[in-house]
């Protein structure tokens, strides 16, 4: 019996240490506008049939729901399509990086936010002197989540030196104001009128539980 108890204790500790990445997803900032870091598979239902992919960097994704198991529901424009479609996907795959949860900082000035870590195209402008949530840090860039105009939140990357806690680091990105675009890329603005008539799932938004 003692051996069994010890085994269960080890299994429980292993579970806590190896908590999946969903535990670091910021889940109470919806609806969220963001871009995929890499191609993300989409499905007709959680654990269902694959229905395509969200193209990396080019399609603005509107995340409307996040379930307890990490499945998220939202809309995007498939490649070569002018209409948005609703699909299910894993939030961890869409977010790409999840180093922190609920760590806050502020920007030193109004700052354009890059779509992805290696992108030169923007996903909105984050205001200074307002809290932003730090999602991840990679090299000279930091991924943040911030409140955008209206009801929406946005997520993207800024140079480290733009953040008050990281001021003094060098800039390796394009100056604000330059926004080169690929020809078939979204402009970063959501046009609700171009959404499909596909029915959305009913019910309230479910969130991913996080460890205290």
């Amino acid at each position: 019996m003692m051996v069994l108890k010890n085994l269960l204790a080890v299994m429980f500790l292993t579970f806590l240490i190896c908590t999946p990445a969903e535990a670091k997803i910021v889940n109470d900032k919806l609806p969220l506008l963001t871009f995929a870091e890499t191609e993300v598979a989409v499905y007709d239902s959680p654990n269902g049939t694959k229905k395509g992919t969200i193209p990396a960097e080019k399609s603005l994704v509107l995340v409307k729901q996040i379930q307890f198991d990490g499945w998220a529901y939202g809309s995007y424009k498939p490649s070569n399509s002018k209409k948005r479609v609703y699909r299910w996907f894993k939030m961890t795959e869409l977010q790409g990086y999840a180093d922190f949860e609920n760590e806050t900082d502020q920007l030193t000035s109004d700052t354009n936010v890059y779509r992805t870590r290696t992108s030169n195209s923007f996903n909105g402008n984050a205001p200074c002197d307002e809290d932003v949530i730090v999602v991840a840090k990679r090299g000279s860039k930091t991924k943040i989540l911030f409140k955008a105009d209206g009801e929406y939140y946005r997520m993207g990357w800024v140079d480290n030196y733009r953040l008050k806690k990281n001021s003094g680091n060098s800039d390796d990105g394009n100056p604000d104001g330059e926004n080169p675009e690929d020809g078939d890329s979204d402009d970063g603005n959501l046009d609700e009128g171009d959404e499909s008539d596909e029915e959305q799932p009913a019910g309230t938004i479910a969130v991913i539980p996080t460890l205290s």
Side-chain angles (χ1 to χ4, degrees):
M1 178 63 83
M2 183 62 66
V3 173
L4 179 59
K5 288 183 177 179
N6 289 339
L7 179 60
L8 291 174
V10 170
M11 291 175 64
F12 180 71
L13 288 174
T14 301
F15 170 77
L16 292 179
I17 294 172
C18 300
T19 303
E22 281 87 350
K24 294 183 178 180
I25 293 294
V26 178
N27 50 55
D28 60 347
K29 308 300 181 186
L30 298 171
L32 172 66
L33 297 171
T34 189
F35 288 83
E37 297 282 341
T38 59
E39 282 193 352
V40 175
V42 295
Y43 303 84
D44 58 359
S45 62
N47 297 309
T49 302
K50 184 179 178 180
K51 290 295 183 179
T53 57
I54 299 173
E57 190 181 332
K58 297 180 182 299
S59 181
L60 182 66
V61 182
L62 169 61
V63 183
K64 287 194 170 182
Q65 295 189 19
I66 303 174
Q67 293 192 159
F68 290 101
D69 56 4
W71 283 95
Y73 186 77
S75 67
Y76 74 102
K77 286 182 183 179
S79 299
N80 303 319
S81 174
K82 294 183 178 180
K83 290 289 185 180
R84 303 184 69 83
V85 297
Y86 279 90
R87 292 289 184 264
W88 291 91
F89 45 86
K90 294 293 287 186
M91 190 61 196
T92 46
E93 294 180 8
L94 178 66
Q95 181 166 310
Y97 301 91
D99 297 343
F100 309 96
E101 57 177 329
N102 299 324
E103 178 177 316
T104 60
D105 203 336
Q106 291 186 343
L107 296 164
T108 57
S109 62
D110 290 357
T111 303
N112 286 323
V113 178
Y114 297 103
R115 297 179 178 185
T116 66
R117 186 170 63 89
T118 58
S119 175
N120 287 324
S121 298
F122 298 125
N123 181 26
N125 184 279
C128 68
D129 297 326
E130 292 188 15
D131 286 349
V132 299
I133 296 176
V134 176
V135 176
K137 294 180 181 179
R138 289 294 185 279
S140 62
K141 285 191 168 56
T142 299
K143 191 168 192 176
I144 64 170
L145 190 153
F146 62 99
K147 186 70 167 66
D149 293 338
E151 63 177 315
Y152 298 103
Y153 292 86
R154 288 181 182 263
M155 184 163 57
W157 295 83
V158 296
D159 297 305
N160 290 344
Y161 80 96
R162 297 286 187 185
L163 293 160
K164 290 184 177 180
K165 294 179 182 178
N166 294 281
S167 60
N169 293 330
S170 61
D171 180 12
D172 70 345
N174 275 5
D176 286 355
E178 295 184 14
N179 191 6
E181 297 280 358
D182 294 323
D184 58 350
S185 174
D186 267 1
D187 61 5
N189 296 314
L190 179 68
D191 181 2
E192 292 283 4
D194 65 7
E195 291 193 318
S196 69
D197 296 327
E198 191 169 345
E199 184 177 354
Q200 300 179 43
T204 58
I205 293 174
V207 299
I208 302 167
T210 58
L211 295 177
S212 58

